[in-house]
Amino acid sequence: MTEKDLKTLLASMTLEEKVGQLVQCNAGLFIETGADITGPEGEALPAEDLCRAMGSVLTFENAAQARALQDMHLEKDPKKIPLLLMLDVIHGMATTYPIPLAMGCGFDDDLIAECADMARKEAAAAGVHVTFNPMVDTARDARWGRILETNSEEPLVNSRMGAALVRATQRDNLADPGNIACCVKHYAAYGAGEAGRDYNGVEVSERSLRETYLPAYKACVDAGARLVMPSFNALNGIPSVANKWLMNRVLRGEWGFEGVVISDYNAVGELVAHGVARDMKDAVRLAMEAGCDIDMVVNAYYTYLPDLVRDGTVPEKALDEAVMRVLRLKNELGLFENPYHGADSEAEKRLNLCPEHREIARHAAEETAVLLKNEGILPFPKNLKSVALIGPFAAETRLNGFWSRPGVEKDTVTLPRGLLNLLPDLELTVAKGCGADLGDRDESEITAAAEAARTADAVILCLGEPENDSGEGRSRADVTLPGPQLALARAVITANPNTAVLLFNGRPLVLTELAEIAPAMLEMWYPGTEAGNAAARLLFGDANPCGRLSAGLPRATGQYPMPYNRMNTGRPKPQPDSGVFPFTSSYLDVPNLPLYSFGYGLSYTTFAYEKLELSRAEISKKDELRVTVTVRNTGKRAGKETVQLYLRDLVASVVRPVQQLIDYRKVSLAPGEAKDVIFTVTEKQLRFWNFDCEEVSEPGEFELSAGYADHLLLTRRFTLTD
Ligand code: BGC
C-alpha cells in the first residue's frame, strides 16, 4: 500500500477501530498456546469483541497458531487489517543458543549475527513478525535476575552486539517473509534498578544516563530497529512509559526515531501503582502524551482511550499518528498483501533443530564458555577410562535459560549424552550429590557422590544456579552458589583432586570459596540446545575455551554495583591490593577488585602481548591514531584471543574512569603465531559528557592499554591537541 492508501484506510476507521490498532492481547485469550496469562489480561472482556478490534497479539509458538490467529481475526475485522504477531525470540526459537550474557563473553559481533540469523529463520517460519529483542540494558549488578538478558556490563559491547542483532534479524527488506522486525528494550536504564531489585526505581544523573545507559538503545535505533519498548522502572521519578523527556525529547526528537513504541507488559496500567496516575484513565492519558503507541495487554487503552479522545483530553491527531505508525509497520512487513508473512509449517519442520542450526548453537556455546581456572588438568586426555559426572546439573535438561521457548529442554543435549557422543566407550557414573535450590540444606547424598568421585579417573562437577532463579522477577540479595553445593564441592574435590567444575548459571555468581579449592573451573552459563556436546568438546580439548567475561565476577555480593570502568577517588586504594589501607576507598573485609575482572578468561594455550605501538604521539580532532597491538600464541595449541583496547583520560573537567573499553577484536592464532591487531582511534572515542551535559572531548593526555580490566599489560600515552 502507498502512504496515501494507508491514510485513506485510517480515514475510514471508527474511533474504536483506531484504538484497536493500539491494543495488544495475549494470543492465549483466543487459542490454546500453553502460555500462562498473568496480570490483568482478559479481565471480563469478551474475546469476541477483542478479536475483532485488536491490532496485535503476543506469545504464540508456531506457524499453525499464527495462521489460526490471523484467520480468526481477519474473519471478524470489518476493515481486514492484519494482526501483528509478536514474540520474545531472545536466544533462539526451537534451536536455543547461549543466553545473551554468555554471547557477550564471545566478544564476537559476527557470532551474534550468525545466531540471530538462525533464530530469524526459525521465528519467521513460526509466523513471528516482531521480536522483543534486542535487550540492551547495561547492567552492573548481578543481584538483578535479568542481567542474563543483556550482553554485558559494558555499553560498547551492548551497542555493537545489539546493532549486529538488529541487522541480522531485520535485514534489508521487512516485506521479505524471512525477515522480522526488532523491538529494542527496555528503554531506559532498566538494568540500574536500585539494590538490584527488579522493577525498582532508577536514580541516575543525566550525564551517566547518556554515557552509560542510552548509547546501546541509540545504537539499535541507528541500526534501524523499528520498535522501542520503554522500561517498567521509574527513571529519576517518572516511569519510562510516561516519561516525555525520554520518549519525546530524546528518542523521537534527538534520535529521530519514527517507529512504534510499545509499552512493556501492563506498564501503562502500572502507572497507577507507581502513584503517578490517579486511575487507569489518567494512566492512559500519560502514556499517550509520552508517545506510547501500543498498550501491551488489553485493559488500559482498550477501555479508556476512546472516551479520552471523545472528550478531547487526547487529541485525535495524536491517536491518528500512533495508528499510522502501526499501520506503516504492518505495511512495511507486507502484511496487507500476505498476512501470514513467513508462517509455514513445512519450513518449520525443515529448519527447527536442523543439523546446520545445531552446529551454530554448539559453536556458539563453545565460543562463549569462559575458562576461569585451570591448574593444568584440562583438557582431559581422551584415553580416560572412567568419569564421574556429579552435581545438581550433571543430568539436567534445563540448560537453556530464561526466555528459551517452552518445551525446548526436551531437545537439549544433556551432559551424559554429550560425553558419550564424543567418547562412546567412556565409563560414566552420574550422581546428583545435592540440590541447588535456594535454602536447600539436604546433604544426605554427598557421601555417595564423593565415593563415586573417588573411584573415577576424573570428575566433572556440575554446579550452578537453577534455570528459574535468574530472569524476570528473580532478583537475589546474595549471589552465592545456592544450596549445599559448596559442601558437595569440598567432599568431591577431596575425594578426587582430578576434578573440573562446570558452571551453569544466568548471572555472575560469587565463586570465591570454590575458586580456592577447585583445580579447574569452566563457566558455561546456560549454553542452550547443544550444551552437552559443547561441554564435552571443551573438556576434552576438541574445542579450546576462548570466552572472556563480559561482566566481572564478584568476590562478595556486597561489592555491587561493581563497574569495571569505575571512577577514581581522591583516595584510591593502592594496587596491587595487599591488605588493609586505612582511610582509602576500600573495604576492611574484601579487596576492591572482583574475583575475576571484566575481559578475563583463560585458554588451553597462552598469549603474550609483545607490542603496543601508536602511529603518532599527538593527534588533532581531525586525525586518526593507528594503534597496533602485537599478540603471540606462546603455547602449543591453536587458540583465540580477544584483544581489548582500553582508554584513560588522565585529566579532564570531570572525573573519568580508570579504564574504559573502546574497542575489541577476537583473533585466531596458531601455535607460535603472532598477529598485529590494528585499531583506529579518533577524537570521537575520546568524548564524554561534561558537567553541563554536553558531549565533548578535551585536549590533553590520554593512555591506551591492552590487556583486560584491572590487568592492563601494555600502555602508551598520546596527546589530543586543540
Ligand atoms: C518483559 C519484556 C517482554 C514482555 C513480553 C515483559 O514482562 O519485561 O521483556 O518482552 O514481557 O513478553
Side-chain angles (χ1 to χ4, degrees):
M1 285 221 235
T2 62
E3 178 79 4
K4 201 167 147 234
D5 295 336
L6 293 178
K7 285 199 173 129
T8 311
L9 174 62
L10 178 78
S12 76
M13 291 164 76
T14 64
L15 176 57
E16 280 72 16
E17 284 168 350
K18 288 180 186 174
V19 170
Q21 290 304 308
L22 310 187
V23 170
Q24 178 159 97
C25 304
N26 200 308
L29 291 175
F30 312 102
I31 57 170
E32 187 49 60
T33 60
D36 289 342
I37 298 180
T38 54
E41 270 289 59
E43 270 167 18
L45 291 167
E48 176 81 5
D49 292 359
L50 272 182
C51 191
R52 187 171 54 241
M54 67 195 175
S56 61
V57 293
L58 83 159
T59 311
F60 63 98
E61 295 303 331
N62 54 45
Q65 291 181 7
R67 285 182 167 259
L69 283 161
Q70 197 65 277
D71 287 342
M72 195 186 299
H73 166 75
L74 286 175
E75 193 197 312
K76 296 202 166 76
D77 178 8
K79 294 283 155 37
K80 307 279 176 235
I81 302 174
L83 283 177
L84 264 176
L85 304 185
M86 308 199 190
L87 187 68
D88 292 278
V89 185
I90 307 297
H91 51 114
M93 189 71 197
T95 315
T96 312
Y97 60 88
I99 54 169
L101 187 62
M103 292 303 289
C105 298
F107 278 96
D108 184 345
D109 308 344
D110 294 339
L111 183 70
I112 292 267
E114 189 183 26
C115 289
D117 188 60
M118 163 182 86
R120 168 188 66 75
K121 289 181 190 151
E122 293 187 5
V128 176
H129 306 152
V130 172
T131 170
F132 299 118
N133 206 22
M135 186 279 214
V136 289
D137 302 330
T138 296
R140 276 106 189 262
D141 191 333
R143 289 176 295 179
W144 190 49
R146 299 194 80 166
I147 194 170
L148 81 90
E149 293 176 49
T150 195
N151 291 130
S152 177
E153 66 162 278
E154 166 49 50
L156 174 77
V157 178
N158 288 338
S159 300
R160 276 171 51 170
M161 294 192 177
L165 189 141
V166 170
R167 285 191 291 266
T169 308
Q170 298 191 155
R171 302 202 297 174
D172 44 3
N173 171 18
L174 280 182
D176 178 333
N179 298 345
I180 53 186
C182 285
C183 175
V184 56
K185 66 187 188 186
H186 309 84
Y187 178 69
Y190 183 33
E194 197 170 74
R197 250 175 36 226
D198 206 2
Y199 316 121
N200 219 1
V202 173
E203 290 289 331
V204 49
S205 70
E206 184 178 341
R207 241 164 35 76
S208 99
L209 191 63
R210 289 196 181 264
E211 200 157 290
T212 303
Y213 297 100
L214 295 189
Y217 309 106
K218 175 161 192 304
C220 295
V221 166
D222 289 347
R226 295 299 198 278
L227 301 93
V228 169
M229 184 191 292
S231 52
F232 283 125
N233 56 281
L235 175 65
N236 297 331
I238 316 252
S240 299
V241 73
N243 196 319
K244 291 187 212 162
W245 180 84
L246 203 54
M247 308 250 274
N248 298 338
R249 166 130 169 231
V250 178
L251 177 66
R252 296 214 195 265
E254 292 177 26
W255 301 353
F257 177 69
E258 290 179 348
V260 171
V261 169
I262 176 167
S263 82
D264 203 346
Y265 202 96
N266 193 36
V268 176
E270 287 168 18
L271 292 172
V272 179
H274 271 291
V276 296
R278 271 187 308 280
D279 49 27
M280 285 286 251
K281 196 168 174 184
D282 202 28
V284 173
R285 173 185 65 82
L286 286 171
M288 281 298 289
E289 281 174 6
C292 172
D293 300 319
I294 299 180
D295 174 20
M296 186 191 290
V297 310
V298 311
N299 58 339
Y301 279 21
Y302 182 77
T303 317
Y304 301 101
L305 190 50
D307 278 350
L308 283 166
V309 175
R310 259 184 231 113
D311 70 20
T313 312
V314 171
E316 180 133 19
K317 186 165 172 284
L319 173 69
D320 286 355
E321 281 170 7
V323 175
M324 272 305 280
R325 286 192 280 264
V326 175
L327 293 179
R328 277 191 206 113
L329 178 60
K330 292 184 174 184
N331 192 39
E332 217 193 329
L333 282 156
L335 299 184
F336 290 101
E337 290 75 31
N338 171 15
Y340 307 111
H341 202 55
D344 177 349
S345 303
E346 287 306 310
E348 268 183 312
K349 275 188 217 133
R350 202 173 57 243
L351 290 165
N352 289 353
L353 297 160
C354 65
E356 191 196 326
H357 287 189
R358 281 190 173 271
E359 174 75 22
I360 292 170
R362 179 182 59 72
H363 177 66
E366 291 169 8
E367 292 281 306
T368 53
V370 184
L371 184 62
L372 298 173
K373 184 175 177 189
N374 187 15
E375 287 176 345
I377 71 164
L378 288 179
F380 286 134
K382 281 190 174 162
N383 59 8
L384 279 185
K385 276 181 71 167
S386 62
V387 162
L389 186 59
I390 296 177
F393 299 88
E396 182 57 89
T397 53
R398 284 162 306 169
L399 300 174
N400 296 288
F402 204 83
W403 285 130
S404 47
R405 302 311 316 157
V408 291
E409 61 275 10
K410 70 178 189 320
D411 301 306
T412 306
V413 179
T414 60
L415 291 163
R417 187 69 265 144
L419 288 165
L420 293 174
N421 283 347
L422 187 72
L423 301 169
D425 298 329
L426 196 64
E427 286 169 29
L428 201 60
T429 329
V430 181
K432 187 170 175 195
C434 71
D437 288 334
L438 292 169
D440 185 340
R441 294 201 169 77
D442 183 1
E443 300 191 359
S444 59
E445 290 175 51
I446 291 183
T447 313
E451 188 50 28
R454 203 180 52 75
T455 50
D457 290 345
V459 179
I460 300 166
L461 179 58
C462 303
L463 306 178
E465 192 188 38
E467 208 188 33
N468 270 340
D469 286 354
S470 54
E472 186 177 345
R474 289 155 167 86
S475 295
R476 290 179 60 193
D478 172 17
V479 295
T480 50
L481 274 176
Q485 296 188 85
L486 260 180
L488 174 68
R490 280 192 207 99
V492 166
I493 295 165
T494 308
N496 188 340
N498 197 23
T499 294
V501 176
L502 287 189
L503 289 152
F504 299 92
N505 45 289
R507 56 156 58 82
L509 291 174
V510 172
L511 302 173
T512 314
E513 285 176 78
L514 184 67
E516 280 166 17
I517 56 172
M521 296 197 298
L522 182 60
E523 175 60 78
M524 296 294 298
W525 308 107
Y526 292 124
T529 306
E530 285 286 304
N533 288 333
R537 286 169 44 85
L538 286 160
L539 287 166
F540 286 89
D542 279 11
N544 188 352
C546 60
R548 303 287 180 261
L549 292 174
S550 62
L553 305 192
R555 287 174 192 274
T557 311
Q559 287 181 310
Y560 280 118
M562 187 189 71
Y564 83 92
N565 59 345
R566 62 193 170 276
M567 304 293 165
N568 228 357
T569 69
R571 295 187 177 192
K573 189 175 192 186
Q575 297 295 336
D577 185 346
S578 54
V580 175
F581 294 88
F583 305 106
T584 65
S585 177
S586 57
Y587 301 106
L588 292 177
D589 49 353
V590 209
N592 280 9
L593 298 184
L595 179 63
Y596 297 114
S597 294
F598 173 83
Y600 168 82
L602 302 171
S603 162
Y604 295 152
T605 187
T606 46
F607 301 100
Y609 280 75
E610 295 185 340
K611 252 188 340 216
L612 171 63
E613 273 177 2
L614 309 188
S615 58
R616 49 211 296 175
E618 276 188 8
I619 59 165
S620 76
K621 293 197 173 180
K622 285 189 257 80
D623 293 330
E624 283 184 355
L625 179 67
R626 231 166 58 118
V627 182
T628 309
V629 181
T630 309
V631 55
R632 184 183 297 280
N633 181 343
T634 48
K636 295 198 173 63
R637 281 171 185 267
K640 290 182 187 165
E641 171 68 328
T642 295
V643 180
Q644 305 163 39
L645 187 65
Y646 290 86
L647 177 81
R648 180 166 184 174
D649 187 342
L650 292 170
V651 180
S653 57
V654 293
V655 179
R656 301 302 302 141
V658 298
Q659 52 197 351
Q660 178 76 48
L661 185 75
I662 58 163
D663 209 341
Y664 57 87
R665 194 161 324 138
K666 195 168 187 173
V667 287
S668 300
L669 292 163
E673 189 188 7
K675 272 188 186 158
D676 285 346
V677 177
I678 297 172
F679 297 105
T680 305
V681 175
T682 64
E683 177 268 338
K684 212 170 161 220
Q685 284 153 294
L686 313 181
R687 292 186 196 164
F688 61 91
W689 293 83
N690 70 11
F691 188 76
D692 297 321
C693 229
E694 299 151 345
E695 199 182 15
V696 296
S697 61
E698 292 176 350
E701 250 193 321
F702 294 81
E703 256 175 24
L704 284 171
S705 307
Y708 64 94
D710 310 318
H711 300 264
L712 302 175
L713 300 168
L714 297 173
T715 296
R716 291 280 177 278
R717 287 187 177 188
F718 71 96
T719 303
L720 175 70
T721 58
D722 249 328

